[in-house]
């Protein structure tokens, strides 16, 4: 589905809506298979449940920005299992999954899909909610080092660190090498979600001003 050019956009890693059932299974079976064991991971999808508040959280964010899909470092042959899971729990746009080889590929795909057009640039911002901020920032910095004009695009990228490991991160910090702004979302609970939405709305207003 094409994303509206005029509106700001948010995207997710599918892992930010998957919850305890599957994570506990991974812990129990850690010695028997790895994340890259495709057959086992396909079965484990059935053991996941949505993180508390995630369905409502995605809906709330959709009121302030257009949903642009799921960007995830997962084998492409698992895309259908992911779509089936998202559909089962009524997440939006379940077929809009973009599988990525690594974090660098994820950043590149988001830039190409959502921040560049035939004229080179547009005026939207893109929010990515992900639990791997440091690798993503390193990947973005590498891309900018290789192609300095890309900084015009990365300056419009906002990374939201998901999970408790990011909860003490300053809100609205700027990564100097890329211009990426960073925020945190420790969980999908109402107060955390509403605080993030408020911060993003203020940022959007400052950009439009």
């Amino acid at each position: 589905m094409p994303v509206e050019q005029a509106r700001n956009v948010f995207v997710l890693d599918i892992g930010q809506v998957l919850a305890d059932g599957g994570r506990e299974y991974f812990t129990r079976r850690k010695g028997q298979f790895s994340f890259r064991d495709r057959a086992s991971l396909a079965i484990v999808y059935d053991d996941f449940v949505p993180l508390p508040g995630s369905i409502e959280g995605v809906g709330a964010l959709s009121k302030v920005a257009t949903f642009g899909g799921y960007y995830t470092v997962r084998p492409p042959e698992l895309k259908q299992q992911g779509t089936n899971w998202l559909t089962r729990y009524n997440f939006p746009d379940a077929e809009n999954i973009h599988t990525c080889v690594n974090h660098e590929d994820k950043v590149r795909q988001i830039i190409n899909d959502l921040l560049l057009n035939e004229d080179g640039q547009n005026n939207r911002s893109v929010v990515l909610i992900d639990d791997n901020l440091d690798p993503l920032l390193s990947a973005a910095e590498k891309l900018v080092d290789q192609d300095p004009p890309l900084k015009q695009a990365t300056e419009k990228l906002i990374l939201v660190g998901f999970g408790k490991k990011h909860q003490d991160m300053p809100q609205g910090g700027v990564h100097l090498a890329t211009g990426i702004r960073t925020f945190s979302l420790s969980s999908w609970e109402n107060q955390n979600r509403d605080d993030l939405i408020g911060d993003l709305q203020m940022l959007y207003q400052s950009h439009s001003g």
Side-chain angles (χ1 to χ4, degrees):
M1 178 183 297
V3 175
E4 302 170 53
Q5 284 293 325
R7 290 201 67 189
N8 295 303
V9 178
F10 78 98
V11 296
L12 299 168
D13 187 301
I14 194 172
Q16 272 47 88
V17 295
L18 297 169
D20 296 339
R23 294 191 189 279
E24 290 172 0
Y25 188 95
F26 275 120
T27 301
R28 293 197 303 269
R29 300 293 297 276
K30 186 174 181 181
Q32 298 184 38
F33 68 91
S34 70
F35 180 81
R36 289 297 179 183
D37 185 332
R38 279 120 164 111
S40 298
L41 185 54
I43 295 169
V44 169
Y45 253 114
D46 291 334
D47 199 33
F48 282 104
V49 294
L51 278 167
S54 57
I55 299 172
E56 297 83 358
V58 172
L61 281 166
S62 296
K63 295 177 182 178
V64 298
T66 298
F67 182 56
Y70 308 87
Y71 287 77
T72 185
V73 179
R74 275 174 169 73
E77 55 265 41
L78 293 181
K79 182 175 179 179
Q80 188 58 52
Q81 281 88 355
T83 292
N84 294 345
W85 186 90
L86 292 165
T87 300
R88 182 188 315 152
Y89 290 105
N90 297 314
F91 281 96
D93 215 1
E95 294 187 357
N96 193 7
I97 296 177
H98 304 257
T99 57
C100 311
V101 176
N102 51 35
H103 292 99
E104 186 175 335
D105 184 40
K106 181 188 286 192
V107 175
R108 172 65 78 175
Q109 285 196 46
I110 291 171
I111 288 173
N112 287 343
D113 293 350
L114 300 171
L115 285 170
L116 297 180
N117 58 25
E118 63 273 12
D119 298 321
Q121 282 296 137
N122 60 46
N123 292 320
R124 70 155 61 104
S125 295
V126 173
V127 176
L128 167 61
I129 300 175
D130 200 292
D131 63 357
N132 285 299
L133 252 63
D134 288 342
L136 287 166
L137 289 170
S138 296
E141 185 170 350
K142 182 178 179 181
L143 288 172
V144 169
D145 284 344
Q146 295 169 346
D147 186 3
L150 273 183
K151 189 173 182 181
Q152 296 177 59
T154 58
E155 286 175 342
K156 298 178 183 296
L157 185 59
I158 301 164
L159 295 185
V160 176
F162 186 83
K164 294 189 182 301
K165 68 180 179 181
H166 299 297
Q167 65 184 358
D168 296 325
M169 183 177 66
Q171 300 290 71
V174 179
H175 185 250
L176 294 180
T178 61
I180 292 173
R181 288 189 179 272
T182 57
F183 291 85
S184 65
L185 178 65
S186 59
S187 74
W188 288 106
E189 294 176 0
N190 289 350
Q191 189 60 55
N192 296 328
R193 181 188 74 211
D194 293 346
D195 287 347
L196 173 64
I197 289 174
D199 288 336
L200 292 176
Q201 287 177 318
M202 289 179 62
L203 184 61
Y204 294 153
Q205 290 170 1
S206 68
H207 283 177
S208 63

